[in-house]
Amino acid sequence: MDGKAEPMASHGARGRSGGRPTLEEVAARAGVGRGTVSRVINGSPRVSDATRAAVEAAVAELGYVPNTAARALAANRTDAIALVVPEPETRFFAEPYFSDMLKGVGAELSDTEMQLLLIFAGSDKERRRLAQYLAAHRVDGVLLVSVHADDPLPDLLAQLDIPAVISGPRSAAETLPSVDSDNYGGARQAVEHLLSRGRRRVAHITGRLDVYGAQRRIDGYRDALSDAGHEVDEALIEAGDFSEEGGSRAMAALLERRPDLDAVFAASDVTAAGARQALREAGRRIPDDVALVGYDDSAIARHLDPPLTSVRQPIDEMGRRMIDLLLTEVADRRPLASRGLDRRQVVLATELVPRSSS
């Protein structure tokens, strides 16, 4: 070695063997042992500043790229995280909630060496395939989005001792780390807003009732009415499923049952879009005849005519916080069963965004 820096080609530098530079070549260039190079690359503090500088200079001169796969194998790690969506692909691409969540997750992972795998598990076949994949421990952790109360995936992950974080607890007794918005408070904000505008017969189109967040929105709806001195009329509550079609069907059923309703709180913006269509087909003007409020504050809310009042939940931030929690779980070497009560449940605040629909 003549000590002259070799220029780095765009396709990567070559070592003496003609292939990619090796750890041994970096050690020789820096005048240190192989173990010292490894400690510098892995951020060990047990290296002097002068030695660290020499190794870093050699790495730069040779264009050495650490073999992250080998490092991960040595540490019993895959450097991969799975974002699992137990829903059909059609719903994932139809609802902005999922793309906003993916955006937050991706942004938070961008400064790490972790790979993100997007996996759909909306059918029994997909779930069986996912179970086999996870049993092979091909990922370090899992993010679960849109989890239903009877979903077996969280229990499967616990059995496999794979760290997981879910977007919203399955129940009040959730044991997994979770990140959610204040569904109860957001629903109260929506109903209180409608009541403040003089509306008295406020209907609610729910989300899927096997989702805990949807249950909490019903609770907030009911309590807001009761606390304002209004009797809760169960005839003004209709089950939906977070979809546009479900919103349209539920709205039609409500109009048939209670044609005198003057406001609707829908469990999602997509649901509200379906309700809007049914209201227009029935000749009801928004907001003159019926005020309408959605949930999520997605792009749909801004683009509807009239623009939709909606409860903003910080979905992007939820994705970021999920990654923070999961990376903490992955770094914790203790078995999952021994971690007990130190699991974290994060709840982020919501905000009502008034627009012309109410």
Side-chain angles (χ1 to χ4, degrees), residues 147 166-174 176 178-180 183 211-213 345-346:
V147 182
I166 59 179
S167 64
R170 290 166 290 173
S171 72
E174 182 57 69
L176 286 176
S178 69
V179 179
D180 203 1
N183 292 290
V211 175
Y212 184 60
Q345 310 291 325
V346 176

Side-chain angles (χ1 to χ4, degrees), residues 36-121:
T36 299
V37 174
S38 180
R39 283 193 292 275
V40 171
I41 290 172
N42 287 288
S44 171
R46 296 184 296 114
V47 181
S48 70
D49 291 343
T51 299
R52 187 181 307 280
V55 171
E56 290 174 348
V59 167
E61 290 169 3
L62 292 174
Y64 173 73
V65 178
N67 187 338
T68 55
R71 288 163 55 194
L73 183 62
N76 196 27
R77 292 267 300 275
T78 65
D79 282 343
I81 284 174
L83 175 63
V84 177
V85 183
E87 300 283 358
E89 291 183 43
T90 51
R91 186 183 170 202
F92 179 89
F93 291 108
E95 297 187 25
Y97 173 89
F98 294 107
S99 58
D100 289 345
M101 179 69 71
L102 183 60
K103 177 183 175 183
V105 167
E108 195 66 15
L109 274 183
S110 62
D111 292 333
T112 75
E113 294 183 351
M114 290 283 191
Q115 298 182 72
L116 180 65
L117 309 176
L118 177 60
I119 301 176
F120 297 101

Side-chain angles (χ1 to χ4, degrees), residues 45-231:
R46 296 184 296 114
V47 181
S48 70
D49 291 343
T51 299
R52 187 181 307 280
V55 171
E56 290 174 348
V59 167
E61 290 169 3
L62 292 174
Y64 173 73
V65 178
N67 187 338
T68 55
R71 288 163 55 194
L73 183 62
N76 196 27
R77 292 267 300 275
T78 65
D79 282 343
I81 284 174
L83 175 63
V84 177
V85 183
E87 300 283 358
E89 291 183 43
T90 51
R91 186 183 170 202
F92 179 89
F93 291 108
E95 297 187 25
Y97 173 89
F98 294 107
S99 58
D100 289 345
M101 179 69 71
L102 183 60
K103 177 183 175 183
V105 167
E108 195 66 15
L109 274 183
S110 62
D111 292 333
T112 75
E113 294 183 351
M114 290 283 191
Q115 298 182 72
L116 180 65
L117 309 176
L118 177 60
I119 301 176
F120 297 101
S123 68
D124 290 341
K125 180 179 180 181
E126 289 172 333
R127 287 170 184 270
R128 288 193 297 270
R129 189 165 57 217
L130 173 62
Q132 295 173 350
Y133 184 82
L134 294 175
H137 287 270
R138 293 178 178 174
V139 296
D140 294 325
V142 171
L143 301 172
L144 278 172
V145 180
S146 187
V147 182
H148 304 285
D150 60 350
D151 198 315
L153 286 175
D155 293 334
L156 171 64
L157 292 167
Q159 292 170 13
L160 296 173
D161 206 43
I162 297 176
V165 175
I166 59 179
S167 64
R170 290 166 290 173
S171 72
E174 182 57 69
T175 56
L176 286 176
S178 69
V179 179
D180 203 1
S181 71
D182 183 4
N183 292 290
Y184 176 84
R188 287 193 64 112
Q189 288 176 310
V191 176
E192 289 167 356
H193 167 75
L194 289 167
L195 294 175
S196 73
R197 298 297 178 94
R199 307 294 170 156
R200 292 296 176 264
R201 294 172 297 281
V202 181
H204 177 42
I205 301 176
T206 76
R208 289 188 55 164
L209 297 182
D210 59 349
V211 175
Y212 184 60
Q215 297 170 24
R216 293 299 289 152
R217 290 176 197 178
I218 296 177
D219 292 341
Y221 162 83
R222 287 194 171 107
D223 287 353
L225 289 173
S226 295
D227 291 349
H230 295 270
E231 182 180 353

